[in-house]
Amino acid sequence: MNATDRTPADLLSSALAADPGRPLVTFYDDATGERVELSVATFANWVAKTANLLQDELSVEPGDRVALLLPAHWQTAVWLLACASVGVVADVAGDPAAADVVVSGPEAESLEAARACSGARVALALRPLGGRFPQPPEGFADYAVEVPGQGDRFVPYAPVDPEEPALIVAGREFTGAEVVERARAEAADLGLTGPGSRVLSALPFDTWEGLNTGLYGPLATGGSVVLCRNLDRLGDDALDKRVESERVTVISR
Protein backbone atom coordinates (compact mmCIF):
# COMPACT_ATOMS: atom_id res chain seq x y z
CA MET A 1 0.00 0.00 0.00
CA ASN A 2 1.13 3.55 -0.61
CA ALA A 3 2.28 5.73 2.27
CA THR A 4 0.29 8.60 0.73
CA ASP A 5 -3.04 6.78 1.10
CA ARG A 6 -5.22 8.87 3.41
CA THR A 7 -8.71 7.38 3.09
CA PRO A 8 -10.15 3.87 2.85
CA ALA A 9 -10.99 4.64 -0.79
CA ASP A 10 -7.30 5.42 -1.38
CA LEU A 11 -6.39 2.01 0.03
CA LEU A 12 -8.74 0.31 -2.42
CA SER A 13 -7.34 2.31 -5.34
CA SER A 14 -3.80 1.25 -4.40
CA ALA A 15 -4.84 -2.39 -4.07
CA LEU A 16 -6.47 -2.21 -7.50
CA ALA A 17 -3.35 -0.74 -9.06
CA ALA A 18 -1.05 -3.28 -7.40
CA ASP A 19 -2.81 -6.58 -8.11
CA PRO A 20 -6.44 -6.41 -9.32
CA GLY A 21 -6.81 -10.17 -9.71
CA ARG A 22 -5.92 -11.30 -6.20
CA PRO A 23 -8.65 -12.31 -3.74
CA LEU A 24 -9.70 -9.57 -1.33
CA VAL A 25 -12.94 -10.73 0.33
CA THR A 26 -14.12 -14.34 0.50
CA PHE A 27 -17.51 -14.68 2.18
CA TYR A 28 -19.15 -17.72 3.74
CA ASP A 29 -22.63 -18.02 5.23
CA ASP A 30 -22.77 -21.29 7.11
CA ALA A 31 -26.55 -21.04 7.49
CA THR A 32 -27.09 -21.19 3.73
CA GLY A 33 -23.91 -22.77 2.37
CA GLU A 34 -23.09 -19.65 0.37
CA ARG A 35 -19.52 -18.94 -0.69
CA VAL A 36 -18.54 -15.87 -2.68
CA GLU A 37 -15.00 -14.84 -3.60
CA LEU A 38 -14.34 -11.29 -4.74
CA SER A 39 -11.07 -10.24 -6.28
CA VAL A 40 -9.85 -6.69 -5.75
CA ALA A 41 -11.18 -5.79 -9.21
CA THR A 42 -14.62 -7.32 -8.62
CA PHE A 43 -14.93 -5.74 -5.19
CA ALA A 44 -13.85 -2.35 -6.57
CA ASN A 45 -16.47 -2.64 -9.32
CA TRP A 46 -19.23 -3.20 -6.76
CA VAL A 47 -17.90 -0.24 -4.78
CA ALA A 48 -17.90 2.01 -7.86
CA LYS A 49 -21.46 1.06 -8.78
CA THR A 50 -22.66 1.60 -5.20
CA ALA A 51 -20.87 4.95 -4.95
CA ASN A 52 -22.53 6.05 -8.20
CA LEU A 53 -25.88 4.98 -6.75
CA LEU A 54 -25.24 7.07 -3.65
CA GLN A 55 -24.02 10.14 -5.51
CA ASP A 56 -26.23 10.18 -8.61
CA GLU A 57 -29.45 8.39 -7.61
CA LEU A 58 -29.68 9.11 -3.88
CA SER A 59 -28.10 12.60 -4.18
CA VAL A 60 -25.91 12.31 -1.10
CA GLU A 61 -23.20 14.89 -0.52
CA PRO A 62 -19.99 14.86 1.51
CA GLY A 63 -20.85 15.04 5.20
CA ASP A 64 -24.24 13.35 4.85
CA ARG A 65 -24.87 10.37 7.10
CA VAL A 66 -25.73 6.87 5.87
CA ALA A 67 -27.01 4.49 8.55
CA LEU A 68 -25.95 0.91 7.80
CA LEU A 69 -28.24 -1.61 9.51
CA LEU A 70 -26.36 -4.60 8.12
CA PRO A 71 -24.49 -7.67 9.43
CA ALA A 72 -20.90 -8.63 8.68
CA HIS A 73 -21.30 -9.43 4.99
CA TRP A 74 -19.42 -8.79 1.76
CA GLN A 75 -22.12 -6.33 0.64
CA THR A 76 -21.70 -4.41 3.90
CA ALA A 77 -17.99 -4.10 3.11
CA VAL A 78 -18.94 -2.73 -0.31
CA TRP A 79 -21.18 -0.09 1.25
CA LEU A 80 -18.49 0.97 3.71
CA LEU A 81 -16.02 1.60 0.89
CA ALA A 82 -18.69 3.26 -1.27
CA CYS A 83 -19.44 5.72 1.52
CA ALA A 84 -15.72 6.42 1.84
CA SER A 85 -15.49 6.99 -1.92
CA VAL A 86 -18.24 9.62 -1.90
CA GLY A 87 -17.16 11.26 1.35
CA VAL A 88 -20.29 10.50 3.35
CA VAL A 89 -20.31 9.19 6.92
CA ALA A 90 -20.96 5.46 7.28
CA ASP A 91 -22.85 5.15 10.57
CA VAL A 92 -22.74 1.45 11.47
CA ALA A 93 -25.91 0.40 13.33
CA GLY A 94 -26.68 4.12 13.57
CA ASP A 95 -29.98 5.83 14.31
CA PRO A 96 -32.03 5.91 11.08
CA ALA A 97 -33.95 8.94 12.32
CA ALA A 98 -30.71 10.94 12.35
CA ALA A 99 -29.54 9.70 8.94
CA ASP A 100 -29.93 11.12 5.45
CA VAL A 101 -30.05 7.61 3.96
CA VAL A 102 -30.63 4.24 5.58
CA VAL A 103 -29.50 0.85 4.27
CA SER A 104 -31.20 -2.17 5.83
CA GLY A 105 -30.84 -5.91 5.69
CA PRO A 106 -33.88 -8.12 5.04
CA GLU A 107 -34.82 -8.82 8.66
CA ALA A 108 -38.24 -7.48 9.67
CA GLU A 109 -36.85 -5.80 12.78
CA SER A 110 -34.18 -4.00 10.77
CA LEU A 111 -36.64 -2.87 8.10
CA GLU A 112 -39.04 -1.55 10.74
CA ALA A 113 -36.28 0.44 12.43
CA ALA A 114 -35.16 1.82 9.07
CA ARG A 115 -38.57 3.35 8.42
CA ALA A 116 -37.66 6.07 10.93
CA CYS A 117 -35.41 7.60 8.26
CA SER A 118 -37.12 10.46 6.44
CA GLY A 119 -34.64 10.23 3.55
CA ALA A 120 -33.95 7.52 1.01
CA ARG A 121 -34.23 3.91 2.13
CA VAL A 122 -32.42 1.01 0.52
CA ALA A 123 -32.89 -2.66 1.37
CA LEU A 124 -30.51 -5.56 0.75
CA ALA A 125 -31.90 -9.07 0.42
CA LEU A 126 -28.44 -10.51 1.25
CA ARG A 127 -29.21 -13.46 -0.99
CA PRO A 128 -26.47 -15.51 -2.66
CA LEU A 129 -24.66 -13.72 -5.49
CA GLY A 130 -26.30 -10.43 -4.58
CA GLY A 131 -29.78 -11.59 -5.56
CA ARG A 132 -32.85 -9.38 -5.35
CA PHE A 133 -35.93 -9.62 -3.15
CA PRO A 134 -38.80 -11.74 -4.55
CA GLN A 135 -40.95 -8.79 -3.47
CA PRO A 136 -39.17 -5.56 -2.39
CA PRO A 137 -40.19 -4.20 1.03
CA GLU A 138 -42.66 -1.36 0.70
CA GLY A 139 -40.98 2.02 0.88
CA PHE A 140 -37.50 0.70 0.02
CA ALA A 141 -35.42 0.58 -3.12
CA ASP A 142 -34.06 -2.91 -3.79
CA TYR A 143 -30.27 -2.60 -3.95
CA ALA A 144 -29.95 -5.60 -6.25
CA VAL A 145 -32.32 -3.94 -8.74
CA GLU A 146 -30.79 -0.47 -8.57
CA VAL A 147 -27.05 -1.17 -8.57
CA PRO A 148 -26.41 -3.23 -11.76
CA GLY A 149 -27.17 -0.32 -14.08
CA GLN A 150 -24.79 2.08 -12.37
CA GLY A 151 -21.46 3.03 -13.91
CA ASP A 152 -18.40 0.84 -13.47
CA ARG A 153 -16.14 3.80 -12.73
CA PHE A 154 -16.66 6.39 -10.03
CA VAL A 155 -15.40 9.95 -9.73
CA PRO A 156 -16.62 12.04 -6.77
CA TYR A 157 -18.07 15.45 -7.56
CA ALA A 158 -15.84 16.90 -4.83
CA PRO A 159 -12.50 15.54 -3.55
CA VAL A 160 -12.87 13.56 -0.33
CA ASP A 161 -11.25 15.32 2.62
CA PRO A 162 -9.40 12.73 4.75
CA GLU A 163 -9.80 14.94 7.82
CA GLU A 164 -13.60 14.92 7.66
CA PRO A 165 -15.74 12.33 9.51
CA ALA A 166 -15.98 9.07 7.58
CA LEU A 167 -17.11 6.37 10.02
CA ILE A 168 -19.14 6.02 13.19
CA VAL A 169 -19.07 2.68 14.99
CA ALA A 170 -19.99 1.84 18.58
CA GLY A 171 -20.55 5.54 19.25
CA ARG A 172 -17.08 6.64 18.14
CA GLU A 173 -16.42 8.86 15.14
CA PHE A 174 -13.37 8.45 12.89
CA THR A 175 -12.07 10.56 10.04
CA GLY A 176 -10.92 8.79 6.91
CA ALA A 177 -7.32 9.42 7.87
CA GLU A 178 -7.90 7.97 11.35
CA VAL A 179 -9.38 4.80 9.86
CA VAL A 180 -6.29 4.31 7.69
CA GLU A 181 -3.81 5.22 10.42
CA ARG A 182 -5.41 2.98 13.02
CA ALA A 183 -5.77 0.07 10.60
CA ARG A 184 -2.06 0.27 9.82
CA ALA A 185 -1.05 0.70 13.46
CA GLU A 186 -3.04 -2.32 14.64
CA ALA A 187 -2.22 -4.65 11.75
CA ALA A 188 0.59 -6.51 13.50
CA ASP A 189 -1.59 -7.18 16.54
CA LEU A 190 -4.15 -8.80 14.21
CA GLY A 191 -1.48 -11.01 12.69
CA LEU A 192 -1.57 -9.08 9.41
CA THR A 193 2.07 -8.89 8.44
CA GLY A 194 1.69 -7.81 4.83
CA PRO A 195 0.77 -9.24 1.42
CA GLY A 196 -0.19 -12.89 1.74
CA SER A 197 -1.73 -12.50 5.18
CA ARG A 198 -5.21 -13.98 5.19
CA VAL A 199 -7.47 -13.55 8.18
CA LEU A 200 -10.58 -15.59 8.87
CA SER A 201 -13.01 -13.37 10.75
CA ALA A 202 -16.29 -14.28 12.38
CA LEU A 203 -16.51 -10.97 14.27
CA PRO A 204 -19.58 -8.74 13.85
CA PHE A 205 -19.22 -5.39 12.12
CA ASP A 206 -20.71 -3.33 14.96
CA THR A 207 -17.33 -2.72 16.63
CA TRP A 208 -14.07 -1.20 15.43
CA GLU A 209 -12.35 -4.55 16.07
CA GLY A 210 -14.80 -6.35 13.78
CA LEU A 211 -14.52 -3.75 11.02
CA ASN A 212 -10.74 -3.60 11.22
CA THR A 213 -10.31 -7.37 11.23
CA GLY A 214 -12.91 -7.98 8.55
CA LEU A 215 -12.09 -5.13 6.16
CA TYR A 216 -9.80 -2.22 6.93
CA GLY A 217 -6.82 -4.15 8.29
CA PRO A 218 -6.50 -6.53 5.34
CA LEU A 219 -7.05 -3.65 2.91
CA ALA A 220 -4.37 -1.52 4.59
CA THR A 221 -1.72 -4.27 4.51
CA GLY A 222 -2.28 -5.92 1.14
CA GLY A 223 -3.86 -8.92 2.84
CA SER A 224 -7.26 -10.53 2.41
CA VAL A 225 -10.16 -11.72 4.54
CA VAL A 226 -12.31 -14.83 4.77
CA LEU A 227 -15.47 -13.33 6.24
CA CYS A 228 -17.67 -15.93 7.94
CA ARG A 229 -21.28 -15.49 8.97
CA ASN A 230 -22.95 -18.06 11.24
CA LEU A 231 -19.60 -19.78 11.84
CA ASP A 232 -21.02 -21.34 15.02
CA ARG A 233 -22.85 -23.79 12.75
CA LEU A 234 -19.59 -25.18 11.44
CA GLY A 235 -17.93 -28.06 13.25
CA ASP A 236 -14.28 -28.04 14.28
CA ASP A 237 -13.22 -30.48 11.56
CA ALA A 238 -14.97 -28.45 8.86
CA LEU A 239 -13.36 -25.28 10.20
CA ASP A 240 -9.93 -26.89 10.05
CA LYS A 241 -10.58 -27.86 6.43
CA ARG A 242 -11.64 -24.31 5.60
CA VAL A 243 -8.56 -22.85 7.21
CA GLU A 244 -6.43 -25.21 5.13
CA SER A 245 -8.27 -24.77 1.83
CA GLU A 246 -8.44 -20.97 2.14
CA ARG A 247 -4.81 -20.73 3.29
CA VAL A 248 -5.80 -18.78 6.37
CA THR A 249 -2.90 -17.40 8.40
CA VAL A 250 -4.83 -16.03 11.41
CA ILE A 251 -8.28 -16.60 12.93
CA SER A 252 -10.45 -14.03 14.75
CA ARG A 253 -13.74 -15.25 16.19
Side-chain angles (χ1 to χ4, degrees), residues 125-175:
L126 301 181
R127 302 181 73 191
L129 302 177
R132 62 181 63 183
F133 284 94
Q135 181 66 42
E138 184 177 353
F140 291 81
D142 185 340
Y143 174 64
V145 172
E146 301 297 329
V147 79
Q150 301 299 320
D152 294 329
R153 300 183 66 182
F154 175 74
V155 178
Y157 292 152
V160 176
D161 186 343
E163 301 302 335
E164 289 296 318
L167 174 71
I168 300 173
V169 60
R172 178 166 178 185
E173 184 178 276
F174 298 86
T175 66

Side-chain angles (χ1 to χ4, degrees), residues 79-218:
W79 273 91
L80 287 161
L81 265 293
C83 289
S85 299
V86 180
V88 299
V89 181
D91 190 357
V92 179
D95 180 5
D100 300 284
V101 174
V102 66
V103 184
S104 173
E107 300 83 3
E109 183 178 355
S110 177
L111 291 167
E112 185 59 32
R115 295 184 191 281
C117 179
S118 60
R121 304 176 194 138
V122 180
L124 277 63
L126 301 181
R127 302 181 73 191
L129 302 177
R132 62 181 63 183
F133 284 94
Q135 181 66 42
E138 184 177 353
F140 291 81
D142 185 340
Y143 174 64
V145 172
E146 301 297 329
V147 79
Q150 301 299 320
D152 294 329
R153 300 183 66 182
F154 175 74
V155 178
Y157 292 152
V160 176
D161 186 343
E163 301 302 335
E164 289 296 318
L167 174 71
I168 300 173
V169 60
R172 178 166 178 185
E173 184 178 276
F174 298 86
T175 66
E178 286 173 335
V179 171
V180 172
E181 291 164 4
R182 188 165 177 179
R184 285 173 169 158
E186 298 178 4
D189 290 340
L190 296 177
L192 295 168
T193 56
S197 295
R198 190 153 167 82
V199 58
L200 184 150
S201 177
L203 300 178
F205 269 7
D206 58 358
T207 67
W208 165 257
E209 181 185 8
L211 290 177
N212 194 30
T213 304
L215 178 60
Y216 298 124

